[in-house]
Each structure stands twice: as C-alpha cells, then as structure tokens.
Amino acid sequence: MTSAVTTDTTRPGYGQLLRTPGALSFLIPGFAARQPFAMLTIGIVLLVQNTTGSFGDAGIVATVTGVSMALFASQTGKLADRRGQAAVLIPIVFLHAASVVGLTVLALLGAPLWALALAAVPAGASVPQVGPMVRARWAVKLEGSPLLPTAAAWESVTDELTFVVGPVLATFLCTQVHPSAGLLTEAGLTLIGGLLFAARRGTQPTPAPRVAGQAKHASALSFPGLRVLIIAFVGIGAVFGGMLISLAAFSEEIGNPGANGLLYGVFAGGNMIAGIACGTVAWKIGPRRRLILGYVGLTAAASVLWTVNSVFLLGGLGLVVGLCIAPALITGYTMVEQLIPAASRTEAFTALTGAVAFGQAAAVTVAGRLTDAHGSSYGFLVPAVATALALVTLLALRSKLAPKAPSRIIGASRPTATVRVNERANERVVGHRVPVTVD
C-alpha cells in the first residue's frame, strides 16, 4: 500500500540545512571536538601492539576502553539532558585528556597488561559524546522539519569524514613520528575542540532538570524501539572493530604497515560517500524497511571479507562495506526522533554511539585473538558473524521500530504539509513532493 505526500516545497538539501540560523556556530567546533574519537582505538591498538608485540593484548586494552565508553555514554547523555551539555562536557574533556596521557605513559614504561586495562577504564568512560550532542541540537532546531533526515545524513557524513581523517592521521603519527604520537594528539584535540564546542551554549538544548514531586521522565532505554536499534548498532560497531584490527594485521603481513591507514580510510570513505548520497535522495520507502535493506547489504558484503588476500580487492570490498553502513546508521539515528521523547534524545543518541563503541570493542578483542592465532583472514570473520546475528535479531523484532499510532510519534510538531499516513506503518513523512511507500 502506498501513501502520497503533497507539498509545494522541494527536496531540502545540504545548502538549506547549513543556512539554518545558528547551525555553523556549533557545527564547526563540533567537528573539531569529535575528530579525536576516530583516533582513540587505533591509537591504542598501534601503541600497545608496539610495546607488547601482540594484537591480542592491544585488543584487550582497546576493548576495555570501548566497553567503558559504552557503559557510561548513555549516563553522560542523561546528565547532559538534565544539566546542560556545557556543564557535563567541560569536566569530561579534562578528565579524558589526563586519562589518555596516563595510559600512554604506562604503555611506554612497559606496564603489565592488567595495569593498561585498568588505565583504559577512565580513558573510555570519559570519551566526550560530542556527536550525540550535535545531533541533539539538530533535533531541537529542526523538530518537525523536513530538514531533519538531511541533518541525520549530514551528521553521518561528518562522522565518516572523521573516520577517514582520524585513522590515517593516527597511523601516520604512530608509524612515522612515535608510537605514542597518535594518542597524545588525540588527547590534545579532545581538550581544545571540546572546550570550544562547550562554549557555544546558545544552541544547546534547554536542560530538563528533575523537579521535586514531578514524575520522573522515562529513560530512553525503556523504549523497545531504541533497544532494537542498539542491537543493530552493535553489529555496525563490530564491522568497524573487525576491520580496524584485521586491516592492521593484513598490512603487517604484507610488510607495509602504513597501508593500514589508507585501507581503513577507503572503507570509511565509502561510508562517507553513501552518507552524502543518502542526504540527497527522496526516499520512496519508509525508514524501517530502509534500515533492514541497508543491513542486508552490509551483511552480504561483510560475509566475503575473509576470502580476499589482495590489497586492491580488499580496498574495493572495503569500499562496498562502507557504502552499505551509511544507510543503516543514518536511518537509525533518524528514527530516534519518532521513537524517543525530546527530553531523552541526547541519552538515546549516546546510547547508540555507545552501542557502536561496544560492538567495536568486542570485535577488536575477538579479531585480535584470531589474527594472533590464525592471521588476518580469520579476523575478518568477526564482522560477518556479528552483522548476521544482528540482522536476524532486527528482522525478528522489526515490529518494535514502528509507533503503534500516529499520535505515538513522540516529539513531533504540527505538520506543515498535507499528509496521508498508511495505517499499518503509522509513519509520518513531511515536506516531500514524492510518493512514499511504507512497510
């Protein structure tokens, strides 16, 4: 069944998005503040592998970092919702910079694995959640606007640009300057960028502190749709983690460690290209179906990574995997506006980012052990298995991703276009002169 949407406006694009009043005031410092996020895991892996000689040990330390981030990310988001982003971000960036420097010093001194893992806890727990904070600012500025999907695509492109630049920069610094240079640069950029972003208080969402006697607002994690998205994002994180370790191991095997940054950059570049395209497409299918189709493509592409042993073929296939990630990521973030009330959205966005970090961390550990024992080909099995399991779960629980009625689309403002909604899908589409087919 198809529902038609009619309006006199044209498809909103990136130019219109960037002309949103006040947008550039938080986008520019936000980009600088999130850049180090892509450098942290690869910086830890390269430093610890250099000092211990083991990808498995490096994977354990990186995993502790990722798990700590995943566990504390949603709490950081909840605090930001209640007390304001700047109040939470300023102390966190100082703590993170100090923790990363401490971890770096311990690694250079040859500290035992348990000490490195212990130091990794505060380094991961204090990762500033700038990306979710930027998304929360967009959600406030564009609530009910047809520009919201474009903003989600823009944020995915921005994230992937960091994953193009970050790993290449960290790999260059670690291999050409000093094994610790990647992490120390990450700490410095986090501190400077985070403080600049925190200073842009005018565009942050209004804090919603708890009031005595007032009913406690629901946690974002209490909504089943978000829990399903978290599972999907864990699988996506496993792709990032499995690719990170396996590409590094493959580069070592062929005697060209510097190729790691290039190969990972190509993979992330595919994601960025797809993200740009997603922001310009007037979709004719609903977000739930889009998410599933994107995940099917991702699972299919990831399932053949382990069979490739050529640099050129691996680069090409990595590009395809990257192209398949963006539709799933963008759609998942966009669905938060439908599923989660405004007062809990920063928590929701940080929960999804934490899910990616958790999936990446778990994949780094498993892939690290597999590559130590059997070589890089076995490490590439991790993304294949993780995405397959997540896809099965996503298909089984897909009904949780649709609101039960149009009135349950939380946080929606009054639509500005004439909208007819398919009663089975109960999905709202605003501002497009296109027929929209929903599941």
Side-chain angles (χ1 to χ4, degrees), residues 56-124:
D57 288 350
I60 289 175
V61 179
T63 295
V64 173
T65 305
V67 170
S68 299
M69 174 186 162
L71 292 176
F72 284 88
S74 62
Q75 298 306 312
T76 301
K78 186 180 294 186
L79 284 173
D81 283 330
R82 290 180 181 176
R83 301 186 179 181
Q85 294 182 357
V88 173
L89 189 57
I90 291 174
I92 280 181
V93 295
F94 280 105
L95 175 60
H96 181 73
S99 300
V100 170
V101 171
L103 174 59
T104 302
V105 171
L106 286 174
L108 293 176
L109 292 176
L113 180 59
W114 67 265
L116 297 177
L118 189 62
V121 173

Side-chain angles (χ1 to χ4, degrees), residues 34 37 66 69-70 73 129 131-132 135 152-153 155-157 159-160 163 221 224-242 264 267 271 287-288 290-292 294-296 298-299 324-337 339-340 345-364 382-383 385-395 397 401:
R34 75 213 297 180
F37 179 77
M69 174 186 162
Q129 300 298 316
R135 285 183 167 91
E155 288 306 305
S156 180
V157 171
D159 283 341
E160 294 319 310
F163 277 98
L221 296 176
L226 180 65
R227 297 198 293 270
V228 175
L229 290 177
I230 285 174
I231 295 172
F233 275 51
V234 168
I236 292 173
V239 176
F240 285 118
Y264 198 86
F267 157 66
N271 201 347
R288 182 173 56 174
R290 246 181 9 248
L291 175 63
I292 292 173
Y295 223 99
V296 168
L298 175 61
T299 304
C324 294
I325 286 179
L329 271 176
I330 291 171
T331 304
Y333 279 123
T334 302
M335 293 175 76
V336 168
E337 197 258 348
L339 299 171
I340 308 298
R345 282 184 196 147
T346 303
E347 180 189 355
F349 288 129
T350 51
L352 294 181
T353 302
V356 173
F358 181 83
Q360 176 174 294
V364 162
V382 174
V385 173
T387 52
L389 291 175
L391 177 61
V392 170
T393 305
L394 187 59
L395 290 171
L397 300 177
L401 295 174

Side-chain angles (χ1 to χ4, degrees), residues 219-298:
S219 167
L221 296 176
S222 67
F223 294 86
L226 180 65
R227 297 198 293 270
V228 175
L229 290 177
I230 285 174
I231 295 172
F233 275 51
V234 168
I236 292 173
V239 176
F240 285 118
M243 293 288 281
L244 189 153
I245 285 288
S246 302
L247 289 174
F250 176 81
S251 300
E252 292 280 350
E253 290 170 1
I254 64 174
N256 184 11
N260 172 43
L262 178 61
L263 286 172
Y264 198 86
V266 169
F267 157 66
N271 201 347
M272 184 175 67
I273 292 169
I276 294 172
C278 285
T280 61
V281 172
W283 294 102
K284 297 184 179 181
I285 57 176
R288 182 173 56 174
R289 186 175 298 177
R290 246 181 9 248
L291 175 63
I292 292 173
L293 289 177
Y295 223 99
V296 168
L298 175 61

